[in-house]
């Protein structure tokens, strides 16, 4: 039921991308943004109020993305909902065929646009994955109450930050999520390829890359302003190593975007060659329209593009995608929202 | 300072006038556990459910006043030593004796992805993440693998109860898995 699962199972290099829902109540606006990625990526993550900023809900955005012809991954964080609401939303998602679900703990509310909100954190990412697996495999709620029928075909995802302290524990933490039920895992921004390789190696040694597909998080730093923001410590889980900062600050300010793209393309090529890595996850920070360029540059665009899509939903959406100017404006509006997914 | 095999070391605590700042009610307090890691595992040997503890526990549970006094004593001592929040289902034995309820997200399965370089808490950057502290403490005593066990969800009805009484009466038996759960799917059990 999950095209993403089939793609990963085939062993083909897989590309997923973040797609931040719109701040607004229109499915059409959401679809416009989604169409920029049509054919270029294998699946898109609909973030769940990323960075604790209110956006259209991830389930509604996931339906819009699917209508635009994309394979949706619905994200769910434990920040805003307790175990009752999380299980109920999971059943709702399954009922409309949203089967790629990705769970994370979530950023603290103080980083968002409603810093005074009550933090929930009733479950954590591990117990939420475990609960989802129980619902699917045992057909029971956390309480033990039976589900009639249980949600079927769920493909469960997780995130991890291989670079955050305690670094020696990060592979173990990924292993906990795999034990709990994670079948695919996306990571935080990979800048430090050597550190990433150590993390992948630890999971590979335990045979866990056979059980869970790893997708390396890759994003482009587009300006010195973005670099300052990302290295300020104000974006949960994001840190930019010194050698990357030196490289980006070493070029003319006008060429930062170009250098940032080059760097990201290099990372994609490097992780692609790493055994145990199934693909990349693009952290677009609102620049969905730049995804094709990045993939070309990294040499992984072959066979991709709107022309590669054959489904009927996609053709009908391609016909209406001439409203490119307004969609570019919608994307622009999201650009400052760099806040990346905390694990 | 050492006297026989039982040797308990206290680490320096926060200054006497230390208070969480405005907007920091969920700050770990004291910011880091005060019982030295080695001492914590020594004490563990005595707190584990054994014949004596079970008897004492059963007795205390039968007398409401004794139960209250016991709970207060537990709270007082564990607050000072670990910043205990009295969740009633103590995770300390498998967290390097760093209380996970001092994490602003109350995470019991390890640190979130927001830990800053140097081990800073995502929410309170001038504090170290309770899990960075816990990992360090557990690893220093050869207990790093404890943190690989899967912790089941917290039962919020137990807040305020004595975790020692719950531990000795066996009501805590299913808080975490026996191992890392990788060999066969870990059992969640029904969380009524
Ligand atoms: S009883 Fe709960 S709150 Fe108290 S120290 Fe143990 S884990 Fe922390």
């Amino acid at each position: 039921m999950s095209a993403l699962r089939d793609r990963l199972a085939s062993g083909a290099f897989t590309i997923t991308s973040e797609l931040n829902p719109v701040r607004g109540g229109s499915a059409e606006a959401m679809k416009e943004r989604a169409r920029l990625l049509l054919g270029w990526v294998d699946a898109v993550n609909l973030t769940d109020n990323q960075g604790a900023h209110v956006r259209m809900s991830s389930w509604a955005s996931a339906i819009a993305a699917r209508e635009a012809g994309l394979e949706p991954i619905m994200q769910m964080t434990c920040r805003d909902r307790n175990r009752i609401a999380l299980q109920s939303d999971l059943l709702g998602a399954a009922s409309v065929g949203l089967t790629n679900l990705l769970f994370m703990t979530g950023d603290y509310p103080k980083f968002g646009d409603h810093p005074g909100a009550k933090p929930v954190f009733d479950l954590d990412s591990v117990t939420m994955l475990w609960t989802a697996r129980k619902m699917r495999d045992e057909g029971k709620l956390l309480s033990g109450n039976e589900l009639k029928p249980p949600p079927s075909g769920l493909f469960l995802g997780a995130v991890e930050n291989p670079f955050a302290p305690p670094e020696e524990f990060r592979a173990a933490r990924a292993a906990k999520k795999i034990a709990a039920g994670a079948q695919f895992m996306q990571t935080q921004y990979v800048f430090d390829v050597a550190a990433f390789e150590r993390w992948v190696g630890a999971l590979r040694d335990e045979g866990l890359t056979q059980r869970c597909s790893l997708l390396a998080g890759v994003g482009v730093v587009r300006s010195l302003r973005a670099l300052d923001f990302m290295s300020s410590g104000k974006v949960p889980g994001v840190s930019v190593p010194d050698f990357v900062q030196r490289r980006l600050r070493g070029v003319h300010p006008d060429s930062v975007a170009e250098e940032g793209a080059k760097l990201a393309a290099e990372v994609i090529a490097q992780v692609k060659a790493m055994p145990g890595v199934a693909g990349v996850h693009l952290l677009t920070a609102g620049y969905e329209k730049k995804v094709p360029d990045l993939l070309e540059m990294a040499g992984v665009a072959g066979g991709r593009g709107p022309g590669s899509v054959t489904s009927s939903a996609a053709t009908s959406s391609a016909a209406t995608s001439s409203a490119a100017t307004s969609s570019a404006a919608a994307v622009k509006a999201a650009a400052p929202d760099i806040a990346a997914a905390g694990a | 300072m050492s006297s026989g095999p039982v040797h308990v070391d206290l680490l320096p605590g926060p200054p006497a006038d230390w208070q969480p700042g405005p907007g920091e009610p969920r700050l770990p307090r004291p910011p880091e556990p005060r019982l030295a890691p080695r001492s914590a595992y020594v004490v563990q040997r005595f707190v584990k459910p054994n014949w004596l503890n079970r008897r004492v526990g059963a007795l205390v549970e039968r007398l409401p006043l004794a139960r209250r006094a016991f709970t207060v004593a537990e709270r007082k001592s564990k607050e000072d030593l670990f910043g205990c929040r009295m969740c009633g289902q103590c995770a300390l034995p498998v967290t390097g004796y760093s209380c996970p309820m001092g994490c602003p997200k109350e995470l019991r399965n390890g640190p979130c992805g927001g830990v800053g370089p140097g081990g800073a808490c995502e929410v309170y950057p001038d504090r170290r993440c309770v899990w960075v502290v816990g990992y360090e403490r557990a690893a220093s005593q050869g207990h790093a693998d404890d943190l690989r066990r899967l912790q089941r969800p917290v039962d919020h009805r137990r807040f305020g109860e004595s975790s020692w009484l719950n531990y000795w009466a066996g009501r805590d038996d299913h808080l975490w898995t026996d191992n890392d759960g990788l060999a066969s799917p870990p059992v969640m059990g029904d969380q009524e």
Side-chain angles (χ1 to χ4, degrees), chain B residues 74 78 82 84-92 99-101 108 163:
Chain B
E74 176 177 339
K78 280 169 70 183
F82 306 108
C84 172
R85 307 293 167 110
M86 290 302 278
C87 70
Q89 45 215 303
C90 198
L92 291 179
C99 173
M101 307 313 274
R108 286 171 77 103
S163 75

Side-chain angles (χ1 to χ4, degrees), chain A residues 13 35 161 179 302 311:
Chain A
F13 190 71
R35 279 179 204 123
N161 184 352
S311 88

